[in-house]
Amino acid sequence: MQAGEADQAEARPKRGTGRRLHGAIAQKLGSAIVSGRYAPGDRLEGEVAFSETLNVSRSAYREAVQVLVAKGLVESRTKAGTRVLPRNRWNLLDPDVLAWAFTGEPHIDFIRDLFELRQIVEPAAASLAAQRRDRDDLAVMKTALAAMRKYSLATETGRAADRDFHNALLQATRNEAVVALSASIGAAVSWTTQFKQRARALPRNPIPDHVRVYDAIAAGNAGAAAEAMRTLVDLALEDTRSAMQA
């Protein structure tokens, strides 16, 4: 390479590579798909054009597409390219897909679906937790409640404590199938809580609702635990609907 060519090569920005980069590309594409910018059946820009546009390596783009394939958002075929799959093929409970959905303005029907899932799962889980919890489970939930009170759900630390509370409750069911939903339920709780505060403060303090769930579980009262959790989820849905109308 001659001196002039070397100077030009040095002046060009280096193409990004690595896990962090392909994760960022996956987030960019995933958010565009989930928000509806790309419709089912649309073909994504080819890897050469996309990598040139963002100045990223083709391998980073291919790795990002594989992330989307694994989450059911797209299919990629030789010669046919990469196309967006129908919504019923998406893994909507994947924590990343949930995060991408809430980068924009999720449809009220999707919000309703998430809360209906919680209404089906969490009251029954609270009932099981009341029957099967041990001291360690109660300690984790109590610590989470203390952090929620200290930091409030208006902060990321408080929302992380909220996730810890719900995760500990699901863990306390001692049901592997229910526990497998922990990441999805936790993500749904966190994103809906953050979403309903996007324009204004929470309309009311939901921490006492969590305390009632905890007290029933600590007392071993399965029926009261289920009812307290049902009320918690119902009120959270009403808060979210109110926030969307603001």
Side-chain angles (χ1 to χ4, degrees):
M1 180 182 295
Q2 296 181 359
E5 294 173 334
D7 291 341
Q8 291 176 6
E10 185 68 24
R12 286 195 298 268
K14 294 181 179 179
R15 289 178 179 269
T17 57
R19 181 176 300 178
R20 181 177 298 179
L21 178 59
H22 80 247
I25 299 168
Q27 179 180 9
K28 181 180 179 67
L29 289 173
S31 297
I33 292 169
V34 176
S35 69
R37 205 177 316 154
Y38 290 110
D42 283 355
R43 182 175 176 178
L44 298 187
E45 193 174 8
E47 67 180 50
V48 174
F50 192 94
S51 60
E52 289 293 337
T53 299
L54 290 188
N55 195 43
V56 298
S57 68
R58 292 172 63 180
S59 63
Y61 175 80
R62 286 194 297 269
E63 289 171 4
V65 167
Q66 288 307 307
V67 171
L68 302 184
V69 169
K71 298 179 188 301
L73 298 184
V74 302
E75 64 177 0
S76 184
R77 296 182 179 179
T78 305
K79 296 183 180 180
T82 301
R83 293 187 182 276
V84 178
L85 289 173
R87 190 178 176 89
N88 62 11
R89 298 278 298 277
W90 300 356
N91 184 0
L92 288 171
L93 293 182
D94 182 282
D96 286 337
V97 177
L98 283 172
W100 298 337
F102 282 91
T103 57
E105 186 81 7
H107 195 277
I108 184 61
D109 289 344
F110 181 58
I111 298 288
R112 180 207 63 202
D113 290 348
L114 290 178
F115 276 100
E116 285 182 351
L117 172 67
R118 293 186 59 192
Q119 288 166 335
I120 292 167
V121 173
E122 290 193 276
S127 176
L128 287 177
Q131 300 170 65
R132 300 174 180 176
R133 86 288 184 274
D134 60 23
R135 290 181 179 178
D136 290 340
D137 298 318
L138 293 176
V140 174
M141 284 187 270
K142 193 170 185 178
T143 298
L145 283 173
M148 290 163 67
R149 289 192 190 98
K150 179 177 180 180
Y151 298 104
S152 88
L153 298 184
T155 68
E156 177 53 39
T157 302
R159 290 190 293 272
D162 191 14
R163 289 195 299 271
D164 290 343
F165 179 88
H166 288 269
N167 181 64
L169 187 152
L170 295 178
Q171 294 285 338
T173 66
R174 303 293 182 268
N175 181 306
E176 289 185 346
V178 172
V179 172
L181 295 172
S182 295
S184 298
I185 294 292
V189 168
S190 182
W191 283 109
T192 51
T193 300
Q194 184 172 339
F195 174 75
K196 62 193 174 189
Q197 299 177 77
R198 73 200 190 289
R200 64 181 184 182
L202 286 171
R204 59 181 190 85
N205 181 8
I207 295 176
D209 303 331
H210 291 73
V211 173
R212 283 186 281 273
V213 172
Y214 171 82
D215 287 344
I217 291 174
N221 190 329
E227 185 59 31
M229 179 57 81
R230 188 173 295 109
T231 299
L232 184 157
V233 177
D234 288 346
L235 290 174
L237 175 56
E238 288 305 311
D239 291 344
T240 304
R241 282 175 173 159
S242 296
M244 294 184 77
Q245 293 168 3

